[in-house]
């Protein structure tokens, strides 16, 4: 499911900024955005554009040119602002013919907004584009072409695995009330690369013939969006370092997901001297069973893996009852290195079922590194 970068929401509150005469703070969902004073009223339906959106290079967004048309976390008059609030009426409505819209409607494609991509993500998108090449796809219907290019397309993300992408608390603020008494565990969110290692027992043949032979063990190494075939990549370096294929042969139908880093990844904020991975997710995908933190810790200890640092175990209400309190909670130093932590991931898993899971990003981290 593609991320909604721009959607219809409403202004929840408007709050003055101390020492500012021309701007104020608008709350949209759990986000706080600086807007021009008097431009909006509480209850107004608006277009909310999330951070990491790339706006089209058109006159109405010319004010973003210095930021390369990217919506980023910024600070104005001491106030953090995350996102862009646009009126539903006026020039934008006329130009894009928005018509009748309701709260929650996605207008990302209508406005021509693209997601900001890191260098790693750009590489993945480029590979996906090659796979979707229409001419190549058309020619593959002919046997001579398939013989010339016999390598099968194996870099599709495994269908049995859920991609790693936590929702931000800003987009689901109601859980702070509906789940306030839930027991949660809090881990540090690490800013490197998401990696997935998965195994599955598959029949060697279709139909009745498949029941006559032992199943084969499939092992896949994946980035956030694709299966990685390059054995010289960091993903395979990590797989080999931690003997993950051998581990998963002992635990078929298991998926291990983690954050991997090296000296040349994401500016090496955590000062690594060698490749390393921290596990944050283990799922028995055959049973739909999610490991809780204690189960992951035991698994990692038993198999020589590192795990994401645990920060707290508590009730959700102990962390905060508002988005702003949870964001404040996300601030602090990393326990891995002397730097701001990227944020926190908050989860509740009971008897193998994921009850709750979201992330809160540290704004101090974004202001320092999100250039």
């Amino acid at each position: 499911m593609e991320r909604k970068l721009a959607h219809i929401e409403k202004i929840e509150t408007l709050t003055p900024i101390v020492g500012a005469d021309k701007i104020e703070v608008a709350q949209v969902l759990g986000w706080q955005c600086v807007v021009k004073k008097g431009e909006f009223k509480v209850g107004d339906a608006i277009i909310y554009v999330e951070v990491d959106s790339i706006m089209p290079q058109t006159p109405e967004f010319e004010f973003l040119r210095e930021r390369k048309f990217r919506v980023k976390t910024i600070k104005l008059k001491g106030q953090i602002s995350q996102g862009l609030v646009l009126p539903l009426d006026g020039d934008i409505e006329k130009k894009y013919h928005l018509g009748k819209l309701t709260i929650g409607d996605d207008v990302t494609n209508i406005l021509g907004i693209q997601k900001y991509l890191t260098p790693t993500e750009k590489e993945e998108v480029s590979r996906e584009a090659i796979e979707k090449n229409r001419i190549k796809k058309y020619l593959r219907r002919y046997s001579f072409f398939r013989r010339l290019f016999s390598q099968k397309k194996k870099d599709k993300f495994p269908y049995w695995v859920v991609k790693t992408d936590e929702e931000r608390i800003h987009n689901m603020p109601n859980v702070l009330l509906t789940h306030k008494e839930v027991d949660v565990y809090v881990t540090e969110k690490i800013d490197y690369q998401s990696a997935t290692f998965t195994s599955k027992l598959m029949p060697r043949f279709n139909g009745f013939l498949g029941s006559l032979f032992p199943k084969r063990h499939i092992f896949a190494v994946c980035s956030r969006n694709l299966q990685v075939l390059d054995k010289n990549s960091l993903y395979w370096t990590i797989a080999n370092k931690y003997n993950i294929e051998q581990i998963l042969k002992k635990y078929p139908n298991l998926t291990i997901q983690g954050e991997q880093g090296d000296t040349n990844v994401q500016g090496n904020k955590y000062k690594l001297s060698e490749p390393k991975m921290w596990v944050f997710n283990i799922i028995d995908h055959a049973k739909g069973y999610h490991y809780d933190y204690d189960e992951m810790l035991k698994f990692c200890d038993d198999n020589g893996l590192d795990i994401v640092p645990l920060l707290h175990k508590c009730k959700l209400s102990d962390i905060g009852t508002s988005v702003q309190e949870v964001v404040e909670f996300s601030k602090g130093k990393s326990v891995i290195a002397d730097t701001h932590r990227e944020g926190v991931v908050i989860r509740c898993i009971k008897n193998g079922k994921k009850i709750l899971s979201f992330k809160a990003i540290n704004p101090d981290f974004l202001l320092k590194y999100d250039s």
Side-chain angles (χ1 to χ4, degrees), residues 19-59:
D21 298 326
K22 296 182 179 180
I23 55 176
E24 57 188 344
V25 180
Q27 181 180 329
V28 180
L29 294 172
W31 301 95
Q32 290 190 324
C33 311
V34 172
V35 297
K36 187 185 298 183
K37 185 173 286 188
E39 185 174 7
F40 303 101
K41 302 188 301 297
V42 173
D44 279 356
I46 51 87
I47 301 170
Y48 173 68
V49 183
E50 297 191 6
V51 291
D52 283 340
S53 297
I54 301 293
M55 308 304 290
Q57 297 186 29
T58 53

Side-chain angles (χ1 to χ4, degrees), residues 153-292:
K153 302 308 170 193
K154 297 180 180 178
D155 64 349
K156 296 298 183 184
F157 200 83
Y159 67 86
W160 61 85
V161 180
V162 176
K163 295 181 181 181
T164 61
D165 192 12
E166 294 288 346
E167 184 66 86
R168 291 200 189 200
I169 184 56
H170 298 75
N171 290 329
M172 47 190 295
N174 289 340
V175 301
L176 297 176
L177 297 177
T178 59
H179 291 68
K180 62 182 179 180
E181 295 304 316
V182 164
D183 293 314
V184 298
Y185 65 85
V186 184
T187 58
E188 179 173 343
K189 189 176 189 307
I190 301 171
D191 183 42
Y192 272 131
Q193 292 176 336
S194 174
T196 293
F197 307 91
T198 187
S199 68
K200 189 173 178 64
L201 290 176
M202 301 279 285
R204 295 178 182 274
F205 304 99
N206 294 327
F208 173 75
L209 195 59
S211 64
L212 301 179
F213 293 88
K215 292 182 178 180
R216 58 193 176 113
H217 179 260
I218 302 296
F219 174 64
V221 175
C222 306
S223 64
R224 185 181 298 278
N225 294 305
L226 291 172
Q227 187 172 162
V228 179
L229 304 180
D230 181 4
K231 296 294 182 71
N232 295 316
S233 66
L234 176 58
Y235 298 92
W236 277 92
T237 297
I238 293 292
N240 293 330
K241 175 182 177 178
Y242 291 98
N243 297 313
I244 296 179
E245 184 172 9
Q246 297 307 312
I247 292 171
L248 291 182
K249 281 184 178 179
K250 297 187 295 181
Y251 304 92
N253 296 318
L254 206 68
T255 295
I256 299 172
Q257 294 176 316
E259 199 76 6
Q260 67 176 26
D262 199 358
T263 57
N264 60 348
V265 176
Q266 298 284 59
N268 195 20
K269 303 177 184 72
Y270 303 93
K271 309 302 180 186
L272 294 182
S273 58
E274 61 180 0
K276 187 169 182 177
M277 181 188 71
W278 297 265
V279 174
F280 60 73
N281 221 15
I282 299 179
I283 306 169
D284 183 330
H285 46 257
K287 300 177 181 177
Y289 187 94
H290 294 253
Y291 284 37
D292 63 22

Side-chain angles (χ1 to χ4, degrees), residues 345-363:
V345 176
I346 300 171
R347 284 182 171 169
C348 172
I349 294 177
K350 288 187 177 182
N351 301 320
K353 300 297 182 183
K354 186 163 67 173
I355 308 300
L356 184 69
S357 185
F358 62 84
K359 65 185 177 184
I361 304 300
N362 177 5

